[in-house]
Amino acid sequence: MYIIGTIIIGFLAGVVAKLLMPGRDPGGFIVTTLLGIVGAFVATYLGQAIGWYRADEGAGFVGAVVGAVILLAIYHFAKRRSTSSPRY
């Protein structure tokens, strides 16, 4: 149940991150929600490593949104960087 809860929180965090990030999203809705899910897992494991959460406790919604926004920003930067480079 713990993993399913993290996936649901991550999905919702991805949707909120999409609303918070301005501009066009190069990956679309599916990539954004997947980044939200990954952001929730990253926030959970980093929070557990730092000591913010217990081993049986997941990241909260705010932590998942922050993780999703950070991953979405990295994705935007990497995608923009790869499309702007000249191809020979």
Side-chain angles (χ1 to χ4, degrees):
M1 269 322 261
Y2 163 74
I3 293 175
I4 293 172
T6 303
I7 290 172
I8 292 170
I9 292 292
F11 174 79
L12 295 173
V15 171
V16 170
K18 172 68 176 143
L19 295 174
L20 293 176
M21 293 291 291
R24 284 192 55 189
D25 187 14
F29 180 74
I30 294 174
V31 171
T32 304
T33 54
L34 289 176
L35 287 173
I37 293 169
V38 172
F41 278 105
V42 168
T44 296
Y45 291 119
L46 284 178
Q48 288 174 356
I50 293 172
W52 292 345
Y53 308 117
R54 293 188 315 256
D56 61 339
E57 198 175 39
F61 184 70
V62 174
V65 169
V66 169
V69 167
I70 290 170
L71 286 178
L72 192 58
I74 291 170
Y75 178 73
H76 275 264
F77 179 74
K79 193 70 170 173
R80 188 176 320 129
R81 188 86 141 150
S82 68
T83 59
S84 66
S85 63
R87 302 204 189 248
Y88 297 105

